[in-house]
């Protein structure tokens, strides 16, 4: 049935369908905007399962869950991250309850802020790629965009949690790793710094990029 | 003068600091002022309707003995987060406490069955009553996770006396150990003597009028006799309370597991055993009979433990005909989900304890709709915020 004349798209929706606006603030903003008239004639896709107008929705959290998924089991990935958030809270609240009243303001209790800071601290600016020049392969440092650096940061955080000793549960290891990255410590930050060192060493190959 | 002082003390305990401006002269100010969600009355004996929708703390010195039977995982996490054991005073617990204080102990035992939806706070209510029993010097027979005896026991042994009865020696010994920890101070005070002689095998010989504590200690040391000793203990407790030596409070969580047909253990005929074939089941059914006095029996029923009965949470359905006839007559007590006031108390408590930090009115509305005012679901939703 797959003849050349009728190419079937994998997605249910054709390409001219645009992404939905599911946040209430954005919808209110659109109504006051000039583009609203044009938007009424557009066709929209339905929202994905994790895209809600809830107060507790966070785009980075749903992104992180998508990277944690194994075998398409989204619910278990979501449980993993939520349980890791609880572990973060348990660690931070125990520190909060035991410390003096002066130091209490320094301790961050919001797990979503900790996740955001951890990802922000783990983001690399450069990366090494292999480029072939005159029959030889060189590792050339190149700058990367924000999407790629976010991907690497999240991937490294999950890898670092999985590499740790298997005495604890994965959610506990992930919680420890996130708190350490929030404080600019730990395996993920070390990995980023090693990459920077290699980039520094291969600085002389930078012109191979062109 | 002494009486007057006690009266003042009673008022001090039972009222909140904010509402007692007229008693300001007689009061000693404590180190810190509690927020209005708490009540200063930490003794459940004095709890009444003025303390409704407020939290009270179990004093930290009693915590270790009261929680000696162990906690469920969800409570363990809460203990770590909140750094204290606090219980919300709710309508059914006030109702039960008033029944316990007013009932006639010369008559045969009263039985209460607590029922409600899954996660509505039945086990927490039992902790409140356990604290009451501890403070009023009662002997507490407390069973909190009987379901694990029938799914994953530590050891199985067929009874030496009857071949078709199954013993769980290690689990029984652990229960005896916890029972002794919880009631040690009262058992020493009451000094209960055995009403008849017991003899198992050559080494185990207890003549009449020997001490009950020796019997319990023997059960803890000699694991193989533990099951027989629990049976003897139940008989002796009933006998002693009939005479008036002690006051017994029986609290059994998930009581309907004793009438479930679902176990994971095979009997001597290589078929899945019924719960009635276990010696522990027979002992705890024995203590919930009506043939003794000077005691109270409070049990809970829950759908969570009974795999073959899931359609309703009402006691007649969960206990089955057999269990209903065994317990009859009893008073059913319904534990409902949170009311509007209780919901906001808990939200304030979570904010006070920094479990959730900033929450708008829209967020509260969302939590209400998602949890449906169910205590367990509310806690579950707030865990990761």
């Amino acid at each position: 049935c797959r003849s050349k004349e009728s190419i079937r798209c994998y997605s249910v929706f054709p390409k001219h369908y645009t992404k939905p606006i599911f946040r209430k603030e954005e919808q209110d903003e659109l109504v006051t905007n000039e583009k609203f008239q044009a938007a009424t004639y557009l066709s929209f896709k339905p929202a994905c399962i994790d895209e809600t107008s809830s107060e507790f929705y966070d785009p980075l959290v749903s992104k992180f869950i998508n990277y944690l998924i194994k075998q398409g089991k989204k619910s278990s990935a979501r449980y993993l991250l939520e349980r890791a958030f609880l572990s973060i809270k348990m660690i931070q609240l125990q520190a909060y309850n035991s410390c003096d009243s002066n130091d209490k303001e320094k301790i961050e209790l919001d797990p979503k802020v900790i996740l955001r800071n951890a990802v922000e601290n783990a983001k690399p600016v450069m990366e090494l790629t292999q480029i072939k020049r005159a029959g030889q392969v060189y590792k050339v440092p190149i700058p990367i965009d924000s999407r790629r650096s976010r991907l690497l940061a999240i991937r490294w955080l999950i890898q670092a949690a999985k590499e740790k000793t298997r005495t604890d549960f994965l959610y506990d290891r992930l919680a420890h790793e996130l708190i350490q990255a929030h404080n600019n410590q730990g395996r993920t930050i070390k990995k980023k710094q090693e990459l920077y060192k290699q980039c520094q060493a291969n600085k002389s190959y930078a012109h191979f990029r062109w | 003068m002494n009486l007057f002082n006690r009266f003042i003390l009673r008022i001090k305990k039972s009222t909140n600091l904010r509402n007692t401006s007229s008693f300001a002269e007689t009061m000693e100010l404590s180190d810190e002022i509690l927020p209005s969600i708490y009540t200063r009355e930490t003794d459940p004996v004095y709890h009444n309707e003025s303390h409704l929708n407020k939290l009270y703390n179990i004093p930290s010195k009693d915590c270790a003995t009261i929680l000696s039977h162990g906690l469920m995982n969800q409570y363990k996490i809460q203990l770590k987060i909140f750094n204290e054991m606090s219980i919300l005073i709710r309508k059914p617990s006030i109702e039960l406490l008033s029944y316990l204080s007013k009932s006639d102990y010369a008559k045969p035992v009263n039985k209460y069955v607590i029922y409600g939806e899954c996660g509505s706070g039945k086990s927490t209510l039992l902790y409140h009553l356990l604290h009451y029993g501890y403070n009023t010097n009662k002997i507490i027979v407390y069973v909190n996770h009987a379901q694990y005896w029938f799914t994953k026991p530590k050891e199985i042994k067929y009874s030496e006396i009857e071949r078709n009865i199954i013993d769980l020696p290690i689990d029984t010994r652990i229960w005896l150990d916890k029972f002794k920890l919880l009631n040690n101070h009262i058992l020493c005070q009451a000094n209960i003597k055995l009403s008849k002689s017991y003899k198992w095998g050559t080494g185990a010989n207890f003549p009449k009028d020997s001490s009950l504590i020796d019997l319990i200690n023997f059960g803890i040391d000699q694991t193989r006799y533990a099951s027989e000793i629990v049976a003897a203990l139940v008989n002796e407790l009933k006998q002693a309370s009939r005479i008036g030596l002690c006051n017994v409070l029986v609290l059994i969580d998930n009581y309907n597991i004793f009438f479930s047909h679902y176990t994971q253990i095979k009997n001597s005929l290589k078929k899945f055993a019924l719960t009635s074939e276990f010696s522990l089941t027979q002992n705890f059914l024995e203590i919930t009979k009506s043939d003794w006095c000077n005691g109270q029996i409070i049990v809970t029923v829950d759908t969570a433990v009974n795999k073959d009965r899931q359609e309703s949470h009402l006691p007649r359905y969960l206990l089955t005909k057999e269990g209903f006839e065994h317990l009859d007559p009893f008073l059913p007590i319904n534990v409902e989900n949170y009311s509007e006031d209780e919901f906001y108390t808990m939200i304030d408590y979570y904010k006070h304890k920094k479990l959730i930090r900033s929450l708008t009115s829209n967020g509260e509305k969302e939590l209400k709709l998602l949890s449906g005012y169910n205590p367990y679901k509310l806690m579950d939703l707030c865990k990761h915020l």
Side-chain angles (χ1 to χ4, degrees):
Chain A
C1 63
R2 245 191 220 181
S3 63
K4 275 187 181 179
E5 289 155 7
S6 64
I7 296 168
R8 204 180 63 178
C9 288
Y10 277 98
S11 171
V12 182
F13 300 101
K15 278 186 178 177
H16 67 271
Y17 272 58
T18 47
K19 280 192 172 179
I21 301 162
F22 56 90
R23 301 292 295 174
K24 210 162 191 183
E25 308 92 76
E26 289 170 25
Q27 284 174 1
D28 292 342
E29 200 183 305
L30 185 73
V31 171
T32 54
N33 209 335
E34 292 169 2
K35 290 176 185 171
F36 180 64
Q37 202 52 249
T40 48
Y41 296 105
L42 288 174
S43 1
F44 285 99
K45 285 179 197 173
C48 286
I49 197 155
D50 57 339
E51 294 173 341
T52 61
S53 60
S54 159
E55 192 182 301
F56 313 122
Y57 172 78
D58 194 333
L60 183 65
V61 171
S62 57
K63 206 63 175 175
F64 204 101
I65 289 167
N66 287 351
Y67 287 124
L68 270 174
I69 290 179
K70 254 185 174 181
Q71 301 175 346
K73 294 175 185 170
K74 190 156 187 161
S75 58
S76 65
R78 194 172 63 231
Y79 167 76
L80 237 169
L81 191 64
E82 285 174 357
R83 188 63 184 72
F85 279 174
L86 176 60
S87 295
I88 287 175
K89 271 187 180 181
M90 274 157 70
I91 293 164
Q92 298 294 83
L93 275 170
Q94 275 174 357
Y96 182 87
N97 290 330
S98 61
C99 79
D100 299 332
S101 55
N102 299 328
D103 303 336
K104 279 190 176 178
E105 287 175 7
K106 287 176 194 168
I107 295 169
E108 180 58 59
L109 293 174
D110 196 344
K112 278 174 189 168
V113 172
I114 288 177
L115 176 76
R116 216 170 295 143
N117 287 343
V119 172
E120 204 59 44
N121 290 341
K123 269 183 183 177
V125 189
M126 307 198 92
E127 202 189 9
L128 290 170
T129 49
Q130 294 187 340
I131 291 176
K132 204 173 179 184
R133 281 290 133 84
Q136 212 165 1
V137 179
Y138 296 99
K139 284 183 175 174
V140 182
I142 52 158
I144 46 176
D145 64 344
S146 62
R147 280 184 64 183
R148 172 79 182 156
S149 70
R150 188 185 64 187
L151 168 89
L152 286 175
I154 296 174
R155 189 182 284 168
W156 288 349
L157 281 167
I158 294 167
Q159 266 178 15
K162 282 181 179 171
E163 276 169 13
K164 280 189 180 177
T165 48
R166 293 195 171 187
T167 47
D168 291 346
F169 291 108
L170 180 58
Y171 47 73
D172 283 334
R173 285 178 271 158
L174 190 61
H176 275 286
E177 191 54 45
L178 286 173
I179 291 170
Q180 281 191 327
H182 164 73
N183 297 326
N184 256 329
Q185 290 164 350
R187 294 184 184 212
T188 321
I189 306 295
K190 220 174 189 179
K191 199 165 189 174
K192 189 181 86 170
Q193 284 162 354
E194 270 173 24
L195 180 72
Y196 281 179
K197 267 181 199 169
Q198 279 186 335
C199 287
Q200 190 71 19
N202 293 4
K203 205 165 79 177
S204 54
Y205 302 138
H207 64 281
F208 286 142
R209 199 151 66 85
W210 293 284
Chain B
M1 191 60 202
N2 196 15
L3 248 173
F4 177 72
N5 272 344
R6 277 185 71 183
F7 174 69
I8 295 290
L9 250 170
R10 180 83 180 273
I11 287 166
K12 238 195 300 179
K13 273 182 174 175
S14 64
T15 43
N16 197 358
L17 190 68
R18 289 185 177 184
N19 311 328
T20 54
S21 55
S22 58
F23 291 104
E25 289 167 10
T26 52
M27 273 183 71
E28 307 151 12
L29 274 172
S30 72
D31 342 18
E32 57 167 335
I33 292 166
L34 286 170
S36 61
I37 46 169
Y38 285 100
T39 166
R40 208 166 277 277
E41 178 63 74
T42 53
D43 194 349
V45 179
Y46 301 119
H47 283 163
N48 53 37
E49 278 169 5
S50 65
H51 302 113
L52 272 179
N53 308 338
K54 292 202 170 179
L55 291 140
Y56 88 97
N57 277 343
I58 294 180
S60 51
K61 64 175 170 29
D62 300 342
C63 234
T65 30
I66 287 170
L67 307 180
S68 58
H69 272 266
L71 283 167
M72 283 190 276
N73 275 342
Q74 71 218 38
Y75 290 114
K76 277 180 195 165
I77 289 170
Q78 288 183 30
L79 257 184
K80 274 185 184 172
I81 291 173
F82 300 139
N83 206 15
E84 66 182 17
M85 180 80 184
S86 47
I87 292 175
L88 183 69
I89 299 162
R90 300 179 68 189
K91 215 176 168 184
S93 55
I94 294 289
E95 190 186 340
L96 259 169
L97 286 175
S98 72
Y99 292 159
L100 289 188
S101 58
K102 282 170 195 166
S103 55
D104 185 3
Y105 282 90
K107 298 262 167 62
V109 284
N110 290 335
K111 297 175 187 174
Y112 306 97
V113 175
I114 302 167
Y115 69 100
E117 279 175 36
C118 205
S120 60
K122 300 182 286 295
S123 303
T124 318
L125 201 157
L126 277 197
Y127 279 116
H128 196 168
L129 297 172
L130 192 123
H131 191 197
Y132 169 84
Y134 179 78
N135 279 9
T136 48
N137 286 339
K138 289 180 181 181
I139 291 182
I140 302 161
V141 179
Y142 179 57
V143 181
N144 65 344
H145 25 237
Q147 65 269 34
Y148 297 124
W149 293 341
F150 309 118
T151 49
K152 31 190 168 180
K154 298 236 162 49
E155 192 190 353
I156 305 164
K157 204 184 114 194
Y158 300 113
S159 178
E160 287 167 5
I161 301 160
E162 281 182 84
R163 185 67 185 156
N164 46 6
I165 295 291
I166 301 167
D167 283 347
L168 311 170
I170 294 177
D171 293 85
T172 317
R173 198 207 68 208
I174 291 168
W175 185 84
L176 266 176
D177 213 350
K178 289 168 176 174
F179 174 81
K180 200 195 154 194
L181 262 175
L182 188 61
N183 300 304
N184 206 5
H185 63 296
I186 308 157
L187 285 173
C188 292
Q189 266 180 29
N191 198 13
I192 300 163
K193 297 279 194 306
L194 299 185
S195 62
K196 61 177 182 182
S197 61
Y198 292 94
K199 196 178 179 186
W200 308 283
T202 48
N205 193 9
F206 286 92
K208 201 182 170 186
D209 287 341
S210 54
S211 172
L212 185 69
I213 302 174
D214 291 346
L215 188 77
I216 296 167
N217 285 337
F218 182 76
I220 294 164
D221 293 340
Q222 301 281 327
T223 311
R224 59 195 167 132
Y225 293 121
S227 306
E228 281 87 27
I229 279 164
V230 171
L233 176 70
V234 165
N235 272 328
E236 288 306 318
L237 283 178
K238 279 166 83 171
Q239 190 59 35
S241 62
R242 257 185 225 129
I243 301 164
L245 274 175
C246 62
N247 210 324
V248 182
L249 182 66
V250 181
L251 302 169
I252 300 177
D253 209 354
N254 300 326
Y255 183 76
N256 56 322
I257 189 75
F258 294 136
F259 301 101
S260 159
H261 294 307
Y262 178 82
T263 57
Q264 292 182 354
I265 297 155
K266 289 186 176 175
N267 59 13
S268 55
L269 302 170
K270 305 288 176 200
K271 282 178 181 171
F272 281 112
L274 301 175
T275 42
S276 56
E277 291 174 36
F278 289 79
S279 57
L280 273 173
T281 309
Q282 293 177 356
N283 295 335
F284 289 114
L285 290 187
E286 183 67 29
I287 207 169
T288 46
K289 277 181 184 170
S290 304
D291 57 351
W292 56 293
C293 62
N294 207 4
Q296 299 283 352
I297 296 168
I298 299 157
V299 299
T300 66
V301 289
D302 200 344
T303 48
V305 291
N306 207 340
K307 282 205 170 181
D308 38 4
R309 284 177 178 260
Q310 290 286 318
E311 281 150 36
S312 164
H313 62 265
L314 298 173
R316 168 66 183 84
Y317 175 74
L318 285 175
L319 285 170
T320 67
K321 195 183 176 192
E322 187 191 350
F324 187 83
E325 280 168 2
H326 178 84
L327 269 186
D328 199 43
F330 64 83
L331 193 74
I333 287 169
N334 189 8
V335 181
E336 286 172 351
N337 288 340
Y338 283 151
S339 65
E340 195 86 5
D341 293 339
E342 284 169 339
F343 179 82
Y344 283 112
T345 312
M346 286 319 284
I347 290 285
D348 286 345
Y349 179 63
Y350 292 160
K351 277 180 185 169
H352 171 67
K353 282 285 163 191
K354 305 275 177 189
L355 185 70
I356 44 181
R357 287 149 307 278
S358 57
L359 197 68
T360 59
S361 58
N362 270 337
E364 273 176 16
K365 209 172 167 185
E366 201 176 313
L367 283 180
K368 252 185 223 174
L369 287 169
L370 285 174
S371 67
Y373 293 95
N374 187 293
Y376 177 74
K377 280 179 188 167
L378 178 66
M379 181 64 200
D380 216 33
L381 287 167
C382 290
K383 269 174 187 171
H384 60 268
L385 289 184

